[in-house]
Amino acid sequence: MQIQYFESFDGTSIAWREVGEGRPVVLVHGYFSDAETNWIKYGTAAKLASAGFRVVMPDLRAHGESGKPHGAEAYPPDALAMDAEAFIAHLGLSDYDLGGYSLGARTTVRVLARGIAPKPRRVVLSGLGDEGVVDTGRRAGFFRRVLTHFGSFKHGDKEFMSQAFLKTTGGDPQALLGVLDTFVDTPEAEVATFDLPVLVLGGAADDEVGSFEGLVAMLPQGRFVEIPGNHMSAVTRAELGDAIVSFLTA
């Protein structure tokens, strides 16, 4: 699958892949990951392409094949949402669907909250609960420990699995630390203004991002689908792609 590039709002190079033809759906991956790992490796993108979608998948800044700047100026608040807005503008999208997993879902929330990009038809928030929206600081603190003490965690430490995952993706700890400075909370009252169909999708054993039902309760047109897995494994499950296809084709 060919990797393409564009320059975002500040000149940072953002990589992206696409597969399929038809209605565009933009999918944004999670922290420490990339489009290949989240959407391609386990078949989600292929399922959507088979269902008649053009699946477009950027690598967030500091991730995958995108630029990994180290300067603080590259990580202003909402930088990831601004990248997503620039990507949507680069593609010229006006009628599309939008979604993400974990940090990608939070980035999707911020795009909706900012209201700068054309409004998507439907939204998928997977691997994201209420705490991950209204209180980003706790998870930011956890990841700051992982990154600043990278390599020191042993099997049994709660940081160990995140450390192990970052080793498999070959991430840049210094650049990833900058991403933490981009996090912006979205108040419940603001989430309540997202009056469009939203699928909240989460693993049955995922206890890392707050309550999925709590997030659904904030949304005027939210619905929750539970799939097997925890925060790390749910994104690998076939049920993730099945649920997204079912929602977007309903």
Side-chain angles (χ1 to χ4, degrees):
M1 189 179 300
Q2 182 183 2
I3 302 174
Q4 302 180 66
Y5 299 87
F6 81 101
E7 288 191 1
S8 192
F9 66 93
D10 63 349
T12 297
S13 176
I14 300 296
W16 59 284
R17 297 165 173 82
E18 74 168 79
V19 63
E21 298 179 358
R23 180 180 181 79
V25 53
V26 179
L27 295 179
V28 188
H29 65 80
Y31 197 39
F32 289 9
S33 193
D34 51 43
E36 169 69 30
T37 302
N38 262 188
W39 306 120
I40 299 169
K41 183 177 181 179
Y42 299 103
T44 299
K47 284 185 177 180
L48 282 160
S50 294
F53 289 91
R54 173 192 176 197
V55 190
V56 286
M57 303 160 284
D59 284 346
L60 294 168
R61 68 175 54 207
H63 295 77
E65 301 299 324
S66 289
K68 300 174 179 64
H70 286 180
E73 68 278 0
Y75 300 99
D78 268 339
L80 305 186
M82 289 189 280
D83 284 338
E85 292 158 1
F87 183 55
I88 291 164
H90 174 75
L91 296 177
L93 302 182
S94 59
D95 184 19
Y96 68 104
D97 300 312
L98 177 64
Y101 191 85
S102 194
L103 178 58
R106 186 190 300 155
T107 300
T108 298
V109 167
R110 292 306 305 159
V111 170
L112 294 176
R114 288 163 55 85
I116 294 172
K119 186 177 179 180
R121 180 194 64 162
R122 295 182 182 226
V123 163
V124 176
L125 303 178
S126 54
L128 186 71
D130 54 2
E131 184 183 88
V133 173
V134 302
D135 180 15
T136 61
R138 186 184 71 83
R139 289 291 283 169
F142 169 82
F143 286 118
R144 199 174 295 278
R145 290 195 304 276
V146 172
L147 293 166
T148 55
H149 301 285
F150 184 68
S152 68
F153 300 104
K154 308 299 181 186
H155 192 34
D157 295 337
K158 61 183 179 179
E159 297 89 353
F160 178 78
M161 289 304 296
S162 293
Q163 174 184 269
F165 181 60
L166 182 55
K167 287 181 178 179
T168 67
T169 59
D172 180 331
Q174 186 172 345
L176 290 165
L177 271 171
V179 170
L180 298 176
D181 296 328
T182 72
F183 289 4
V184 175
D185 294 345
T186 307
E188 180 175 349
E190 199 161 8
V191 177
T193 68
F194 300 168
D195 194 11
L196 74 174
V198 180
L199 172 66
V200 177
L201 187 58
D206 187 347
D207 59 359
E208 298 188 21
V209 290
S211 167
F212 298 114
E213 293 89 345
L215 178 55
V216 170
M218 300 179 196
L219 294 159
Q221 298 186 54
R223 68 183 75 173
F224 174 50
V225 172
E226 183 177 88
I227 62 173
N230 56 30
H231 194 70
M232 294 291 289
S233 65
V235 73
T236 73
R237 301 289 303 215
E239 291 90 345
L240 179 85
D242 293 340
I244 295 174
V245 168
S246 178
F247 174 68
L248 294 182
T249 57

